[in-house]
Amino acid sequence: MAIVSTTCNTQAPLLEDTVVYGSVDCQGCPARRSTSGGWRSASFIIAVEVAERFAYFGISSNLITYLTGPLGQSTATAAENVNAWSGTATLLPLLGAFVADAYLGRYRTIIISSLIYILGLGLLTLSAMLTSLSNLDCQNTNNITSCSTPQILVFSFIFSLYLVAIGQGGHKPCVQAFGADQFDGNDPKESIARSSFFNWWYFTLSTGVLLSLVIIVYIQDNLSWALGFGILCILMLVALVVFLLGAKTYRYSVNVNKENPFRRIGQVFVFAVKNRRNALSVTVAEEEVLQPLPQQCSEQFKFLNKALLAQDGSSEDWKGCSLNDVEEAKGLLRLIPIWTTCLVYAIVFAQASTFFTKQGATMDRKLAQGLTIPAASLQLFTGVSIIIFIPLYDRIFVPITRTLTQKPSGITMLQRIGTGMFLSAFSMVIAALVEMKRLKTAQEYGLVDTPDVTIPMSVWWLVPQYLLFGLADVLTIVGLQEFFYDQVPNELKSVGLSLYLSVLGVGSFLSSFLVSVIDKATGGDGGESWFASNLNQAHLDYFYWLLAGLSSAGLAAFLFFSKSFVYTMGRSS
C-alpha cells in the first residue's frame, strides 16, 4: 500500500491541477489530476486485461475438447471438471482481493499474480507437449491399455490449470479495480468517465476473447495444443512488461482510515452481537451525524446500530465503531440478496463453453470448401455481439436515457442487470428449441446411434443463442462489475469486484453440481443420461428448459429485492 512521501512538494496546486483525494503517485506524493490517472493510465491497464482474457479464454473455451480428446475423459466428467475449474478460478479472486486490500495493495498483487499466471501457462505448455508425445507413442502400438493417458500427465495438466486459476485469482479483481481507481468518482467529469470505463473495459477484453477464439482455438484444433498454450504464456509475459511501463502514470489508492478495513467493518458485527441485549440510546452528537443520511439507511438492519454502544451499554466516549463503519456494514449486507439472486444467471453463463460447444461439434460447420469452423470458435458470435452492442449502448442509449432520467448512467445499475437476466432466460428457451430441432434431424436421418457422423443441420442454428448471450453479458456482467465496485467501501474495491466474480464462480459450481445430480438421476437403471456422450441420444433440450425455468424464478426474486434496494457508498443511481 502506498505511503505519502514527506519529500513531496507541498505547494498549493493550480486550480486545473487539483489533488485527487485518497490517491498518490508512484513517488508517494498526492496525485495531481493533470499528471496521473485518467484514460492514459487506464489504457496500460486495459491492454494487460486484454492479454489476460486472451490467455484465459484460450484455455477455457476449448478445455472440454482437450479433456475429451487428448486426455480421453467422458463428456459428463469433462463438463464437471471444466465447471469445477472455472468455479475455482472465479472464487479465488475473493482471496486475492482480501490479500490486496488488507496487505499488499493492488499494484503489488497484480505483479505477483502475473508471475504465477505465467508459471502456470509454462507448465501447461510442457504438459501438453508430453501428452502429445505419449499419444503419438500410443498410435504406434497395438496395445490397447497403453492408449490411455498416463495419470501423471493428467495430474500435471490439472495442477497447471489450477496454478493458472491461482494467478487469475489475484490478477482479475485487482486489475479492474486498479483501472477504475484511475478515475475520481468525486469529480463530475471523471465520474461519468468511470462509468464509461466499465463499458469500454468489457468491449476491449471481449475483443481479446474474440481474437483468442479465432486464433488460439484454430491453432489448438489444427496445429498443436502445446503451441497454442505456449503463445498464451509469451503474451502474458509481454503484458506484464506493458503494465510495468505505465507505473509512473498511475494513481495508487491509500487507506485514509489507516486501519485494516476488514477489522474495522468486521468489529461492527462483533460488537452488535455483544451488545444485542443492551438498549440503544443515541446521543446528540450521533443525531447530528445521522441527520444527513437517507432514512432507509438508518432504518435497515437497525440491530447493527448497537455496535455504537460501549460494553456497558452506553455510547459516551466510545471510540470503537463509528457511524460510518455501521453504515458501511449495512451496505455490505444489502448486497447479499442481489448476489444470491444472480446465481442462476451464472449457471446459464457456464453453458457457453461446455454443452454449447459439444452441440456445435455434432453439426455441419463447413463455411466453404475445405474450411470448417472449430466448435469452440462459435463463441466468437458472443464476442461479436458484445463488440457491436457496447458502443451502441455507451454512445447512443446512455446519452438518450441520461437526458430522460437525469441519471449519470441513463438507467440504474440494477435495471441494467435485470434486463440482462431476462435476455439470459430467453436465450435458454431458444437453445432448447434449437436442440429439439437437432435431435429431430438426427432421428430423421437415422443418426441416433452414430455420434461420429455430422448431422446435416447447419451450425448457424446456434448463432441466435450465442448472440443473445453476448447481449445479456453487456447488460448483466458489466452491470454487476460497476454495481459491486460502486457499492462497497473505498478500501474494499478489489473485494467488490471479487464479489461479482464469485457470482460466476459459485454459478459454475452449481452448474457442475446440477449436471452431476441429473446425470446420476437420469443415467441410472440402464437409462440414457441427459448428458450421454452420444449427444444424439442425450436430452440437452430438457436441461435447457430446466435452466429457463430456474432463470425465470431467479429474475422474479431479483426484481423483488431490487425494489427495496437503497444505493449507498457511491452515486445514488
Side-chain angles (χ1 to χ4, degrees):
M1 189 173 295
I3 305 297
V4 178
S5 173
T6 58
T7 61
C8 299
N9 183 6
T10 57
Q11 189 176 14
L14 297 176
L15 184 62
E16 65 272 14
D17 190 21
T18 55
V19 168
V20 180
Y21 177 74
S23 297
V24 297
D25 59 20
C26 64
Q27 296 178 335
C29 301
R32 299 286 179 90
R33 199 175 303 280
S34 64
T35 57
S36 66
W39 284 108
R40 179 184 59 168
S41 299
S43 62
F44 286 100
I45 302 168
I46 289 174
V48 173
E49 180 65 7
V50 170
E52 191 277 330
R53 290 292 86 186
F54 186 94
Y56 182 81
F57 276 86
I59 299 171
S60 65
S61 63
N62 212 18
L63 181 57
I64 194 168
T65 304
Y66 187 82
L67 294 178
T68 57
L71 293 190
Q73 296 183 349
S74 66
T75 300
T77 300
E80 291 174 20
N81 286 333
V82 170
N83 286 329
W85 174 75
S86 178
T88 302
T90 43
L91 279 179
L92 281 175
L94 286 170
L95 177 60
F98 170 79
V99 172
D101 287 344
Y103 301 106
L104 296 179
R106 294 176 194 124
Y107 181 74
R108 293 190 187 97
T109 304
I110 291 170
I111 295 175
I112 294 172
S113 60
S114 294
L115 293 174
I116 296 174
Y117 209 130
I118 293 167
L119 176 61
L121 288 171
L123 293 177
L124 207 64
T125 304
L126 179 61
S127 175
M129 290 175 62
L130 295 176
T131 301
S132 177
L133 293 175
S134 175
N135 291 341
L136 185 62
D137 291 338
C138 170
Q139 295 172 4
N140 295 329
T141 181
N142 293 324
N143 187 357
I144 298 177
T145 59
S146 67
C147 289
S148 60
T149 304
Q151 287 301 305
I152 184 64
L153 292 181
V154 175
F155 173 79
S156 65
F157 184 81
I158 299 299
F159 174 79
S160 303
L161 275 180
Y162 280 89
L163 200 59
V164 169
I166 292 172
Q168 199 242 195
H171 193 279
K172 185 63 178 173
C174 295
V175 169
Q176 188 170 11
F178 193 58
D181 288 344
Q182 306 309 309
F183 302 92
D184 182 11
N186 296 318
D187 180 79
K189 290 184 179 179
E190 291 199 19
S191 177
I192 294 175
R194 192 178 74 180
S195 181
S196 185
F197 164 79
F198 284 98
N199 289 325
W200 291 106
W201 173 273
Y202 205 61
F203 173 86
T204 51
L205 72 85
S206 296
T207 302
V209 172
L210 184 63
L211 292 174
S212 180
L213 294 174
V214 173
I215 299 172
I216 296 300
V217 171
Y218 179 84
I219 292 174
Q220 291 170 344
D221 284 355
N222 297 279
L223 298 178
S224 166
W225 285 95
L227 177 61
F229 293 140
I231 292 174
L232 303 181
C233 182
I234 295 172
L235 186 64
M236 276 300 297
L237 183 60
V238 173
L240 177 58
V241 173
V242 170
F243 177 73
L244 295 174
L245 289 176
K248 292 184 178 181
T249 72
Y250 299 146
R251 292 175 186 170
Y252 303 86
S253 296
V254 292
N255 187 353
V256 179
N257 291 312
K258 305 296 182 183
E259 186 179 354
N260 188 307
F262 295 96
R263 181 181 181 279
R264 181 170 55 82
I265 296 175
Q267 70 181 3
V268 172
F269 297 96
V270 173
F271 288 123
V273 172
K274 288 183 176 180
N275 296 330
R276 63 188 182 278
R277 300 184 187 278
N278 298 331
L280 180 66
S281 59
V282 184
T283 64
V284 175
E286 289 165 350
E287 287 179 345
E288 291 177 354
V289 178
L290 273 169
Q291 189 174 1
L293 292 172
Q295 183 64 28
Q296 301 94 322
C297 292
S298 300
E299 293 298 325
Q300 283 185 313
F301 308 114
K302 291 178 66 174
F303 69 93
L304 289 180
N305 291 343
K306 292 191 175 183
L308 297 170
L309 298 173
Q311 293 302 298
D312 59 358
S314 68
S315 54
E316 297 294 338
D317 300 323
W318 171 238
K319 302 300 182 182
C321 298
S322 68
L323 277 169
N324 183 62
D325 296 338
V326 172
E327 290 304 320
E328 287 183 346
K330 290 180 180 181
L332 292 178
L333 285 183
R334 278 190 283 272
L335 299 179
I336 294 177
I338 303 300
W339 184 92
T340 304
T341 53
C342 288
L343 290 177
V344 179
Y345 174 85
I347 295 175
V348 174
F349 184 83
Q351 307 313 311
S353 60
T354 54
F355 292 122
F356 281 15
T357 301
K358 296 301 290 184
Q359 276 180 284
T362 68
M363 301 169 72
D364 183 7
R365 293 175 282 117
K366 288 185 179 178
L367 299 181
Q369 188 65 31
L371 180 60
T372 301
I373 182 174
S377 289
L378 291 171
Q379 295 173 62
L380 66 87
F381 291 106
T382 298
V384 169
S385 177
I386 292 170
I387 290 173
I388 292 174
F389 187 67
I390 283 183
L392 295 177
Y393 182 89
D394 191 76
R395 297 304 180 189
I396 298 177
F397 179 79
V398 171
I400 292 176
T401 53
R402 183 186 295 149
T403 302
L404 298 175
T405 65
Q406 302 302 311
K407 298 180 184 298
S409 299
I411 59 176
T412 68
M413 291 174 277
L414 291 178
Q415 287 172 340
R416 178 175 185 169
I417 294 168
T419 305
M421 292 176 68
F422 169 78
L423 292 176
S424 175
F426 185 60
S427 71
M428 283 294 97
V429 174
I430 298 298
L433 294 173
V434 171
E435 176 61 8
M436 291 174 65
K437 168 69 175 175
R438 192 191 68 83
L439 291 175
K440 184 178 180 180
T441 303
Q443 292 173 354
E444 291 175 350
Y445 284 86
L447 301 176
V448 174
D449 298 320
T450 53
D452 295 331
V453 178
T454 300
I455 295 176
M457 177 179 171
S458 175
V459 76
W460 293 105
W461 280 86
L462 296 178
V463 172
Q465 63 201 56
Y466 278 107
L467 294 178
L468 280 173
F469 252 53
L471 191 55
D473 282 2
V474 169
L475 296 169
T476 298
I477 296 297
V478 180
L480 285 172
Q481 291 174 358
E482 186 175 7
F483 175 77
F484 282 111
Y485 179 89
D486 188 79
Q487 295 299 299
V488 298
N490 289 330
E491 302 97 327
L492 299 178
K493 297 302 186 183
S494 298
V495 170
L497 286 170
S498 70
L499 287 174
Y500 131 73
L501 291 168
S502 69
V503 171
L504 303 180
V506 174
S508 291
F509 280 119
L510 290 177
S511 178
S512 180
F513 174 76
L514 199 59
V515 169
S516 179
V517 170
I518 293 174
D519 185 47
K520 291 178 180 178
T522 59
D525 298 327
E528 199 64 59
S529 169
W530 286 7
F531 313 111
S533 294
N534 180 359
L535 288 190
N536 297 339
Q537 296 177 351
H539 275 291
L540 291 181
D541 53 334
Y542 295 170
F543 184 56
Y544 293 153
W545 283 120
L546 175 63
L547 291 182
L550 291 175
S551 297
S552 300
L555 176 59
F558 175 84
L559 294 176
F560 173 79
F561 288 111
S562 295
K563 280 186 176 181
S564 59
F565 186 85
V566 180
Y567 287 89
T568 56
M569 309 299 178
R571 65 183 184 283
S572 180
S573 297

